[in-house]
Amino acid sequence: MRLDQYLSKAMGISRSQSRKLIASGQVTVDGQLCKAADFQLGENPQVTAQGKALVVKEFVYIMLHKPQGIVSASRDKRDKTVVDLVAKDFPRRELFPAGRLDKTSTGFVLLTDDGALAHRLLAPKRHVTKEYLVELDTPLTPEMIRGFEEGVTLADGQTMQPAQVSNPDPSRPCLVRVLLRQGVYHQIKRMFGVYGAGVNALHRTAIGGVALDPALEPGQWRELTREELEKLQRD
Ligand code: URA
């Protein structure tokens, strides 16, 4: 990789900004001052800019707590997107959500530029489990629990893979924990719709064994820890 390219990736600045920085004599490579923007870096270069050591991450992985009213897309003509919420901190990255939540839904959205990982997480064959907390407009019934376990047939005739539903809090009979391995459009709403139940709120709490960090308020995000990433890569 060229030095100016490395700097713009590592610092999230434009190519012309990195060229200026290099020309101003504030960049070193392997301990030597380097003023050539087209300098070709070797394996594992030690690059500093303004005295700080830089690292280029090949990919980024962001855990976002999606608020209501935001669309799960990279760009949208009308609405604010999940990528808009983080974009200013990652100006040189082509981020996208690995799996969608409806505009009204909240919770864990994974943003990344690692297409291979996203593909693996979303591939129907891999069955990565997602966990949701859902508030229904009617109490959960044994008929729903049985139906979800067997595989609900939607109004359009598609039969869903088996899913688990349970009530995590007996004092709130309309609250349901859902474990799902598929990602069909409006799937949970349509599955409960078969039983005449409406969804008042839907929140994703975990993806593949990685839980949404409770310290993140709606709209807040952080990068995944190494352990969390390894969990998703193993799933
Ligand atoms: N199922 C839905 O109906 N909506 C979501 O946002 C996610 C799963």
Side-chain angles (χ1 to χ4, degrees), residues 9-23:
K9 264 208 154 178
M11 300 176 74
I13 58 177
S14 70
R15 199 70 87 79
S16 70
Q17 285 170 315
S18 31
R19 284 195 206 111
K20 274 193 200 133
L21 201 60
I22 295 163

Side-chain angles (χ1 to χ4, degrees), residues 145-166:
I145 298 175
R146 232 185 2 260
F148 271 63
E149 258 162 25
E150 284 164 8
V152 175
T153 301
L154 302 181
D156 66 359
Q158 286 187 79
T159 299
M160 299 293 95
Q161 289 169 11
Q164 280 71 52
V165 283
S166 56

Side-chain angles (χ1 to χ4, degrees), residues 100-102 105 132 180 184 186-190 202:
R100 287 157 188 267
L101 284 178
D102 296 339
S105 301
Y132 301 84
L180 212 65
V184 171
H186 287 337
Q187 185 170 349
I188 294 177
K189 290 175 185 156
R190 289 160 78 193
L202 195 154

